[in-house]
Amino acid sequence: MSAVSGAPALELVGVSKRYGGVAANRDISLSVARGEIHAIVGENGAGKSTLMSILGGLVRADSGAILIDGREARINSPRDAAALGVGMTRQHFQLVDTMSALDNILLGDEGGALLARGRARLRAKLSGIADETGLAIDLDARAGDLPLGARQRVEILKALARGARVLIFDEPTAVLTPDEASGLFRLMKSLAGKGASILFITHKLGEALGVADRVSVLRAGERVATFDAKGLSAETLAEAMVGQRPPPRAEKPSSAPGEILVEARGMRLRGADGRALLDDVSLSLRAGEIVGVAGVAGNGQSELLEVLAGLRRPNSGTLRVAGLDIDFTRFTPAAARALGVAHIPEDRLKQGVVAGFRADHNAMLGRQREARFGGRWLNPAAITRHCADLMARWDVRPASPGLAISSFSGGNQQKLVFAREIETDPRVLLVGQPTRGVDISAIDAIHRRLTALRGAGKAILLVSAELDEILALSDRALVMRGGRIVGERAPGAANARRDIGLMMAGAAEAAA
Amino acid sequence: MRPAPVFRALAAPLAALAATGFCALAVGENPFGVFAAMVSGALGGAEPLAFTLYYATDFIFTGLAVAVAYRAGLFNIGVEGQSLVAGAGLAMAVLAGGTLPAYAPLVAGVLAAGVFGAAWAAIPGWLQARRGSHVVITTIMFNFVASALLSWLLVDPLRAPGSMQPETRAFAPGARLWKLDDALSALGSPTTGTPLNASFLLALAAAAAVHIYVFRTRAGFEAGVQAANPSAAACAGVDATRVVVRAMALSGLLASGVAVNELLGAQNRLILDFPAGAGYVGIAVALMAGSRPMMVPLAALLFGFLAQGGAELGLDYPRISPQIVVAAQGFAVLVAGAALGSRRLA
Amino acid sequence: MTMDQAYSWLSATLRLSTPLIFACFAGLWSERAGVVDVGLEGKMLAGAFAGAAAASLTGDVRLGLLAAVAASLALSFAQAWAEIERGGDQIVCGMAVNMIGAGLTAFAGAALFGEGGRTPALTAGERVTPVVAGLDALTLAAFAAAALSAFALARTKLGLRVNAAGENPGALDAAGGSVRATRHIAVAIGGALCGLAGADLSLAQAAGFLPGMSAGKGFIALAALVFAKWRPGACLATCLLFGGLDAVAIRLPDAVVPGVGAVPVQALQALPYLLTVALLAGFVGRARPPAAAGQPYRRE
């Protein structure tokens, strides 16, 4: 290794990146020494993935510099990154499932037209790496047959075989079992012990504290602090991550929850890969209350919404809606609607609207079977009138029902989806990420609407990655992690924010 | 397919024109002379015009068939085979009803064509919705199965007794569609000698009906949602299986129009390979029309012009094969297909 | 069946399988790289015509073979432009190639030779003739092409990249390989093989070109590719099976199958397609195409 002695293996100086008007990264500077494991923590949207993409050559920074071994580096493509000795393990593995692990590592750097020699050479090299680091896998297994942890090791080996000295791990434990995760941490430590520098992006505080030498905290695109991991407490870190925010406004009038409208018991859902997406989830939802579901994205909240909305059939469990036992084989989105369950999907621009369609057709989406739109023969005048009506009441601009929905701003598209689902007077409202992609002025309006619906006796399940939103709106907050509900807090309780943050991060299971 | 900007809509016919021109140049002919011959051969007078409309009739039906499936997100390559099977159904009904009063065999024939065409198309639809086999490949395969089926029917059970030709006996005189020439001779005007018949009006009516289906019915709306955004369709409670099977059945129903035009309007018997590639031209027609039903007749007219103009070329230019039209259509489809992709990538 | 009959059936099977093998492996290269090819038929026709025309005009069968490959390659370049460079719809563009192939060959045939698009009957020196055991060089070459393709796909750098481009082009891109270049090479190899498939039709099986003489063989090859689940060994076996069925259909009109009775020849002709549909629908096994087949690649 040729390096300027003393210089950090990787250094970022004043890196900034804006997307439109939003600063994803603002003047970020940090350094990773040789042999150091440096964790970067932050909430969703704090700017971690943008930083990753810049280092991996997928995105170019607007300003700032990246130094490798003290020399300024230009990383314009994944190829450049590899040539500079920067290897990356992404959240979504880039492997060819039908090929052996060995061929996956070989791909792109085959060493000759015939593979036999390249394969033999690579085998030798990998066995050297295995001796040095203990990182060994079944090289002849099909990548698609390997468990996720092993797939990840293939990615790491791919980087190491190409001589990577700086390794970047982007949320590496997101898909791993606890056993696999601890195996990964041992490996990271061993690699660092051999002189590799590791940048470790995570939102799990416990992991950062357990494995890193130093921890940097990103918040709203800025690096707000860097701590020495030794002696650092999870509380300090959580506070730095979520900030010292004013307590949620208590403008919510008190409301006496009424009858139970949704009651789920022991719901389990397995994904195609057999992983548990929902693991024994039970919850109840009463008229006149908002139940918040907090959690880091990808911990089962989306699946919970989908099951309750009739979009996915759970493998087991029972569900009662408005006093009726649900037969899951017949519980379609249409059936859910008929029972008075409205669903505002998380990704409204993708699941909630059809981009090429007119606004008024989008305003009918999901309601197209209602008689007022004409039945089998659609009544264009009624469709347009309905949309104009929603637009007026929700202040959607421009108020042009005939315009393609894609000509509206994201915020206005969202308003129309909200209007469509809420104005049907549902009994139960399932809301995913209600303020994602909505500008600040609209956030407040949406919050007020939700509070008003609660006052009107609706049962509302609110899934949000924004802890503030959960704390401000809900009567009870559930926390999901790994497909389970790991705890419940009243938002008004002392230390609720910190406790929920810790449960989300999995740093304090005991706190539940 | 979203409405294409004008230049994209024109790129395909221009490619067809350019290909024809280059071919003319390659055999040492003046391209503009060739174009002029095509125009006069297809549009210059009552007879050429009537032939052009007769060809366009097939292309309206097949263009609508491809478009209605595409509007539901499905690529039906099997219109050719669906027309064939519709023709088999038509012939069996007409021949079986031979002794019935005048119009009964005609009506029975049209209905049977529709049912057979729709059913033959619905099978790949059902296979895709329920068994996961892609409709593109299965409809291609079904074209060849249909072709084999027809050739067996015509050499064995349906062949006219005593005939060596693979064709049925002629249909009863009542099972014949009203022709333009019937009206002209009734008026005492000179006839055109063309098979242009009432199917042309039926095709125009079909275009209007498909327009209403796509833009004015709930079923058409749901199909559009399913095509444009399957995950939004799922959220909106759209039954994907029903959408797919219905779209394919409708597509096959429209494909049966070719059988009606060719067998009841022109041939008056069932013959081999009567669609003669119209099912494939339908892909080009639908692409060029951006799958808008009311644009389909216009695009079909263009291809009708090419077919008739090409067929007439041989009179003035014996060295230019009418098959040049097929190549010209191919270049039009290639350019349209490439544009389809770049729009998707944009 | 007597020995003579068996022998003649076997040699007919090998001869009739030859164009299927070339075309099927053409499709294999293209689709394993993620480019669906429904244009095999058109490229075969181009090859058949160009081969016969060049052989007839020059009197040299070798120039005929060269011309066959060149004509089919030219069509595959047009296809690659539309599908890879423009990201066009692979089904539409493949169908376009079929139309272009059918139209241009008939046009050029009529322009060059009159006679309704046919080429003049080729004489012995202008044809591919048997070399060993009644088998001609193209039949032998088809088996060689199959073996070479199998080897290349499994054991060379090109094969590795082709497979990656078809299964997960993002992985190839992330590893520093070019999805575009890989797909272009695969489509070109397919083009060359289709040219040989066509040459076999007009230079070996027949003595000259007839418009539309491929008669759906390109689609049978496509069916074979699907039926073989995109695996080289199975491709060869399926082509032999389908070629054998064809040989039966030709030799024994209305074959009598024990226990079933007389089977119309058309049923045998439809069988490859029906088998393929049954397989696709999961009634017999399960066919899984390369994961990225049909999708233009675009970096995220």
Side-chain angles (χ1 to χ4, degrees), chain A residues 44 91 174 203 295-302 346 433 436 464-465 504:
Chain A
N44 288 314
Q91 271 185 65
H203 50 242
V296 170
N299 276 282
Q301 307 95 305
S302 308
E346 292 176 303
Q433 316 294 351
R436 179 178 287 172
S464 176
M504 280 166 66

Side-chain angles (χ1 to χ4, degrees), chain B residues 117-128:
Chain B
W120 190 252
I123 300 169
W126 185 84
L127 287 174
Q128 164 155 330

Side-chain angles (χ1 to χ4, degrees), chain C residues 127-171:
Chain C
R127 291 188 62 198
V128 177
T129 46
V131 282
V132 274
L135 299 176
D136 60 55
L138 277 174
T139 300
L140 300 176
F143 283 88
L148 265 176
S149 298
F151 174 81
L153 285 169
R155 291 172 193 277
T156 67
K157 169 177 157 182
L158 176 63
L160 191 72
R161 292 190 171 198
V162 162
N163 286 323
E167 287 291 338
N168 185 352

